Amino acid sequence: MRDGVDLLVPAGAVISDGRLTIRITEASTLTIYTKADAFISVPSASKGVAGNLITTAKAPAGAISTTQLPVIASIAGNPTSTDMTEKHVDGTGAAAVFSAIRAIKFDPNGNIIVSDDGVIRRVTPAGVVTTLNLQPKDRGLDGIAVDSTGNIYGSFMTVIPAPWVGPPSERIPTYGGTIRVMDIAGKTEDFSANWIASSTEPFIALGDLVADSQGNLFLASPGTNNIIKFTSWGSMSVFVGNGTEGNNDGRGRMATLSAPSHLAIDANDNLYFVDRKNATIRKATPDGTVTTIAAPPQGDSNLDTKLSPLPIPAPYGPIAIDLAGNIYFEMPFGFLAKIDIRGFITSYYPTDSSTMGISSMIADNKGNLYLGTNGSAQIRKVSF
């Protein structure tokens, strides 16, 4: 593809810049913006009208662009440590050792609070790692949140073994969920004990946890296809979703979700979440109104051939939103993506393995992105 040259291609055409590949899967009239060195191929089996425009012109809002990730700095964690094989070691920078980073959140002082396979740890902006308190003995916390006063909340699943009677097919364990809180003095107690109990769903209480400006907590519950709200005094209710898998937008229980997993919350208490089985990014306003704001293609794992909602590469894991309203999310193979407030979509490709195995991400008020990664268990910083 030469600069200043436009091409019209039919369905079946493939556009590649060496890092990201887009395949046009159906008859359409797309406009795809690319760089001058992109490679365009049209298989001999492609048929139909050449109605898709490939151009090197400047992309408008809503278009997807690709670029290399900026330099990624390691804040804390030994790069040679591997997930679940190391013990917890406090220290500064690479002298600290993490075991398995499950979740990260900021506290009011700009420190990063880490759920690390059995312990809660604090990482200062200078990379000093300190262990704060033990988590439940049966498993590490699956989600953590920090409120405006510095209280740390953690959610975890409990397992009740099946009675050892009857045939094996009838020995079904049950599951429950509990949220605990640790105050700024280090005192730990149940915040909402056994908010669900005796469930046969093995993925209960395994989603992300966030706090809003009013002290309410929101827990993604992929096993029950909804998001649970806990008030500041521990009262529980279903915020959005009715338990039925689906992708319908609506308010409260009128909306249907499919395995919501990772959460982020903006300055206005709007909740953003990855709906894992739908592979979509969705938004829930404080009154519980759910809208789908970005979606991947139907029947294709690369890019959408529809423009409403915003077409995105399939979201894979964690999500974050910064103070300006830019949304970041993980894609497969270590790619990251950003949807900015104008609707521009940028796909960032890695140059090494530093973004593989992202378990959690958060954004600070300066637009920096922090990643909790496993594989090599570290806290990393991306400055855009």
Side-chain angles (χ1 to χ4, degrees):
M1 185 81 178
R2 297 196 304 271
D3 194 17
V5 174
D6 295 342
L7 295 176
L8 288 170
V9 297
V14 177
I15 304 96
S16 176
D17 66 356
R19 292 284 182 174
L20 183 69
T21 297
I22 300 172
R23 183 175 68 255
I24 301 173
T25 58
E26 59 186 41
S28 54
T29 56
L30 293 176
T31 299
I32 298 175
Y33 299 84
T34 187
K35 296 181 179 180
D37 57 355
F39 178 76
I40 316 296
S41 65
V42 180
S44 59
S46 297
K47 298 179 180 180
V49 177
N52 302 285
L53 176 65
I54 314 298
T55 179
T56 56
K58 183 179 179 180
I64 301 172
S65 61
T66 61
T67 189
Q68 182 176 312
L69 263 174
V71 174
I72 300 177
S74 178
I75 302 300
N78 191 312
T80 64
S81 64
T82 56
D83 182 23
M84 302 291 288
T85 64
E86 305 290 341
K87 295 182 178 180
H88 310 101
V89 178
D90 289 347
T92 301
V97 177
F98 296 98
S99 176
I101 298 172
R102 295 176 183 267
I104 59 175
K105 294 294 190 310
F106 282 118
D107 73 8
N109 298 315
N111 302 304
I112 297 174
I113 304 301
V114 184
S115 170
D116 182 27
D117 190 40
V119 298
I120 296 175
R121 311 180 76 182
R122 179 177 60 218
V123 183
T124 70
V128 179
V129 179
T130 305
T131 298
L132 299 181
N133 197 44
L134 289 177
Q135 295 179 0
K137 292 182 179 180
D138 56 343
R139 63 177 296 116
L141 299 178
D142 294 294
I144 57 171
V146 185
D147 67 18
S148 59
T149 61
N151 297 311
I152 301 171
Y153 301 83
S155 62
F156 62 98
M157 182 181 71
T158 57
V159 182
I160 302 174
W164 195 255
V165 294
S169 61
E170 296 179 3
R171 300 172 194 165
I172 302 175
T174 56
Y175 306 88
T178 290
I179 294 179
R180 292 181 63 80
V181 59
M182 183 175 70
D183 64 20
I184 57 176
K187 179 183 177 182
T188 302
E189 61 184 3
D190 284 343
F191 173 75
S192 183
N194 296 314
W195 63 268
I196 188 169
S198 301
S199 172
T200 58
E201 173 52 61
F203 297 105
I204 196 72
L206 291 182
D208 203 0
L209 186 70
V210 296
D212 70 8
S213 63
Q214 305 302 311
N216 301 304
L217 301 179
F218 298 87
L219 173 69
S221 182
T224 54
N225 299 306
N226 51 26
I227 295 175
I228 308 299
K229 177 179 178 179
F230 300 85
T231 64
S232 57
W233 57 89
S235 177
M236 184 273 286
S237 63
V238 175
F239 181 54
V240 293
N242 57 30
T244 301
E245 283 193 8
N247 58 4
N248 293 329
D249 291 343
R251 184 174 178 180
R253 292 175 179 265
M254 297 299 293
T256 54
L257 286 55
S258 292
S261 55
H262 295 85
L263 304 174
I265 196 162
D266 69 13
N268 297 314
D269 288 338
N270 295 303
L271 195 66
Y272 296 81
F273 62 96
V274 173
D275 214 11
R276 189 66 180 269
K277 287 187 178 180
N278 286 324
T280 55
I281 294 175
R282 306 178 76 180
K283 174 183 176 180
T285 60
D287 70 354
T289 300
V290 175
T291 54
T292 301
I293 62 173
Q298 296 179 356
D300 189 275
S301 60
N302 285 320
L303 299 182
D304 206 348
T305 55
K306 299 181 179 180
L307 297 180
S308 181
L310 286 173
I312 57 168
Y316 182 73
I319 184 173
I321 187 165
D322 65 20
L323 192 63
N326 300 306
I327 300 169
Y328 303 86
F329 59 95
E330 183 193 13
M331 300 186 300
F333 310 114
F335 279 63
L336 296 176
K338 178 177 75 173
I339 304 173
D340 71 17
I341 56 175
R342 304 166 298 168
F344 283 92
I345 305 167
T346 304
S347 169
Y348 296 94
Y349 57 82
T351 57
D352 55 30
S353 61
S354 60
T355 56
M356 296 297 288
I358 300 173
S359 60
S360 186
M361 68 171 69
I362 49 177
D364 66 13
N365 57 12
K366 297 180 181 179
N368 300 304
L369 192 65
Y370 292 80
L371 312 175
T373 62
N374 291 316
S376 63
Q378 294 180 277
I379 305 295
R380 304 175 189 269
K381 177 182 178 181
V382 184
S383 299
F384 293 94

